[in-house]
Amino acid sequence: MTYPQTVDYLYSRLPMFTRIGASAFKKDLTNTIALCDALNNPQNKYKTIHVGGTNGKGSTSHMLAAIFQKAGYKTGLYTSPHLKDFRERIRVNGKMVSKSFVTKFVKEHQTLISAIEPSFFEVTVAMAFSYFEQQQVDIAIIEVGLGGRLDSTNIIQPELAVITNISLDHTNMLGNTFAEIAFEKAGIIKKNTPVIIGEHHPETDPVFIKKATEQNANLIFAQDDLIVTNIAKNADNLKVDVIQKDQTLFKNLALDLTGGYQLKNILTVIEASLQLRKLGYNLTDKAILDALKSVKKLTGLQGRWQTLHKKPLTICDTGHNKAGIAEVVENIKQTPHQNLHMVIGMVKDKDISAVLALLPANANYYFCQPNLERALPVEELKQQASKYQLQGEAFTSVADALQTAQSSANEKDLIFIGGSTFVVAEII
């Protein structure tokens, strides 16, 4: 098979969550274990860090990878979903996996794949683990796909586990309460392995504390140890001081991810770095500072409060659940603009009403439909939005919606594009 044929095989022949939703989610680790056993368990041949949580786990994974790269470690990075190119999921020192490796892996293991009948995600995880072994990485940052306890990535024995936060997302699979979702996320906490929790929450703290106690895992809440202060922001950077017990750890730390929600992720990443130092990793202050101001360049991260155009200011963000959209709305409030234009599309299996209730009514809406089976039909989105006094036109494509928004906006306006990762993917 050629590379395009290989990717088409992965997309079309294997159950894929981004395409069909919950039915592609396997509720046990049997397939992943079988795949990796057949591959001689590559995930055990190098060190790993496991990153879970509802929001921020992608940004946190990329920041940690950038720090390890700057510190001189050969660094693997596994994340999902991808925006434009399948190979975004699997990187070494920021460089995407080669097309030849993807093609060779599928060709060599097609009989195995046919016998096990895994999901798209299960095959992709096994492929990533195998690639990191082939590349002889020093460490790999592994982002959880969905949940944690039953996620395909959860066969690793990491040096450190990180859980960024908990909010209501994928409730049809993970549970309807914060505590139920936290139980699934806490599944990545391993015996005698330190775990960083990014944020406190009264409903989830007891869940994490119980699991960590059972596993004899040292539990650290980043918020208890560190604070950020002297926050400043411009078009290119978010700048902060990081304080630990009244002492300044980092002065004028600059992050090239400018969304206000990154303030929480900075604390989680710095706390993780401090704990990794205790484990013997040489993550110097200089490596941390240099890495965080160049995360996008070092790791290829896109779609996090990303500026696409200056006049009119056009920004996209992959936030797609209640907590993520709340952060987006706060960022919009903090961004100077005259009129607001919102290009919004969603998928069917989200809490649509909770998201729509947060969106600003004083905006021009361009409702759209991303190009995938799970997309919420645009007329249905428009109808539901009208219940929240959100008014605008409906477009069957993201491109048409954006083009109309651009032609309607003046130079001092703000165009925001989002509502779903897949809307962002189509315009980047």
Side-chain angles (χ1 to χ4, degrees):
M1 289 189 286
T2 63
Y3 174 73
Q5 289 170 332
T6 301
V7 173
D8 183 64
Y9 167 82
L10 292 172
Y11 290 163
S12 61
R13 293 284 299 280
L14 306 180
M16 186 177 179
F17 180 80
T18 54
R19 192 178 73 245
I20 62 176
S23 61
F25 180 58
K26 302 294 181 69
K27 292 186 178 295
D28 62 61
L29 300 175
T30 306
N31 285 350
T32 307
I33 291 168
L35 279 170
C36 288
D37 277 348
L39 297 171
N40 198 24
N41 289 306
Q43 74 281 0
N44 298 334
K45 309 291 175 59
Y46 44 83
K47 305 293 187 183
T48 57
I49 295 168
H50 211 181
V51 182
T54 304
N55 294 305
K57 63 183 183 289
S59 296
T60 297
S61 297
H62 279 263
M63 286 188 228
L64 287 169
I67 289 169
F68 272 99
Q69 284 173 232
K70 274 293 182 183
Y73 293 90
K74 190 170 187 180
T75 308
L77 175 62
Y78 176 76
T79 58
S80 62
H82 63 273
L83 291 177
K84 294 299 287 183
D85 189 327
F86 166 78
R87 298 179 302 139
E88 293 169 30
R89 295 168 179 257
I90 305 169
R91 298 176 185 266
V92 172
N93 283 356
K95 186 177 180 182
M96 292 188 293
V97 61
S98 67
K99 292 180 179 179
S100 60
F101 181 87
V102 175
T103 303
K104 184 180 177 186
F105 180 89
V106 173
K107 181 181 178 182
E108 288 183 354
H109 303 294
Q110 202 165 351
T111 302
L112 176 67
I113 292 168
S114 297
I116 294 174
E117 297 186 335
S119 70
F120 169 87
F121 189 79
E122 289 165 337
V123 171
T124 306
V125 167
M127 183 190 298
F129 290 164
S130 184
Y131 185 64
F132 296 152
E133 179 193 19
Q134 187 219 62
Q135 291 292 302
Q136 298 181 309
V137 299
D138 298 314
I139 194 157
I141 317 299
I142 308 296
E143 181 196 7
V144 172
L146 179 64
R149 182 174 65 94
L150 301 176
D151 187 73
S152 301
T153 63
N154 202 29
I155 64 168
I156 60 175
Q157 296 294 323
E159 297 282 278
L160 178 77
V162 177
I163 301 173
T164 56
N165 57 43
I166 301 297
S167 59
L168 298 177
D169 196 14
H170 299 297
T171 52
N172 58 327
M173 289 173 282
L174 302 180
N176 293 304
T177 67
F178 284 87
E180 287 174 342
I181 294 173
F183 174 77
E184 296 298 330
K185 307 285 186 184
I188 70 169
I189 298 174
K190 302 294 198 309
K191 193 169 286 293
N192 302 319
T193 301
V195 55
I196 309 297
I197 309 295
E199 298 176 35
H200 276 294
H201 190 284
E203 292 180 49
T204 63
D205 286 2
V207 178
F208 294 135
I209 291 167
K210 181 175 185 290
K211 180 68 172 181
T213 302
E214 290 170 354
Q215 297 295 321
N216 192 36
N218 183 28
L219 178 72
I220 303 107
F221 286 93
Q223 286 184 333
D224 289 346
D225 192 37
L226 304 172
I227 61 170
V228 291
T229 187
N230 294 334
I231 300 161
K233 182 177 171 181
N234 58 36
D236 301 314
N237 292 111
L238 189 63
K239 287 191 176 181
V240 301
D241 294 345
V242 179
I243 311 296
Q244 182 185 47
K245 296 179 175 61
D246 298 325
Q247 288 193 332
T248 302
L249 279 186
F250 294 96
K251 185 82 173 169
N252 287 327
L253 181 151
L255 178 67
D256 66 342
L257 308 174
T258 59
Y261 51 81
Q262 299 294 359
L263 294 170
K264 300 172 184 176
N265 295 332
I266 287 172
L267 289 185
T268 307
V269 167
I270 297 298
E271 188 61 55
S273 300
L274 297 179
Q275 296 305 314
L276 287 160
R277 283 178 178 176
K278 292 180 180 179
L279 296 176
Y281 290 94
N282 185 29
L283 306 180
T284 64
D285 285 0
K286 186 177 188 309
I288 292 169
L289 289 167
D290 288 350
L292 294 184
K293 65 185 174 189
S294 302
V295 176
K296 291 187 286 188
K297 181 180 177 183
L298 289 167
T299 70
L301 179 62
Q302 294 190 87
R304 274 60 170 192
W305 199 249
Q306 181 176 347
T307 298
L308 301 174
H309 194 68
K310 291 287 179 71
K311 289 185 179 182
L313 182 59
T314 305
I315 292 174
C316 67
D317 193 279
T318 54
H320 55 269
N321 52 39
K322 185 178 178 181
I325 293 295
E327 298 285 4
V328 162
V329 171
E330 189 57 38
N331 278 333
I332 288 172
K333 288 178 183 175
Q334 295 174 15
T335 303
H337 61 271
Q338 197 167 76
N339 302 302
L340 177 60
H341 304 263
M342 300 283 285
V343 177
I344 297 291
M346 301 184 74
V347 292
K348 295 174 185 173
D349 50 9
K350 294 292 179 183
D351 187 353
I352 295 157
S353 58
V355 169
L356 293 174
L358 294 173
L359 294 175
N362 60 335
N364 303 304
Y365 280 85
Y366 307 80
F367 301 108
C368 59
Q369 186 173 321
N371 185 26
L372 76 161
E373 290 177 43
R374 283 171 61 214
L376 181 69
V378 67
E379 290 296 343
E380 186 178 335
L381 175 59
K382 183 182 176 184
Q383 183 181 1
Q384 292 202 41
S386 67
K387 298 175 186 176
Y388 298 91
Q389 286 72 55
L390 308 180
Q391 302 298 323
E393 298 178 66
F395 300 85
T396 54
S397 82
V398 177
D400 288 348
L402 177 57
Q403 188 174 31
T404 306
Q406 288 170 327
S407 63
S408 303
N410 66 51
E411 286 193 354
K412 293 183 179 180
D413 289 355
L414 169 62
I415 299 174
F416 174 78
I417 306 153
S420 165
T421 300
F422 307 105
V423 171
V424 173
E426 287 190 35
I427 53 85
I428 282 184

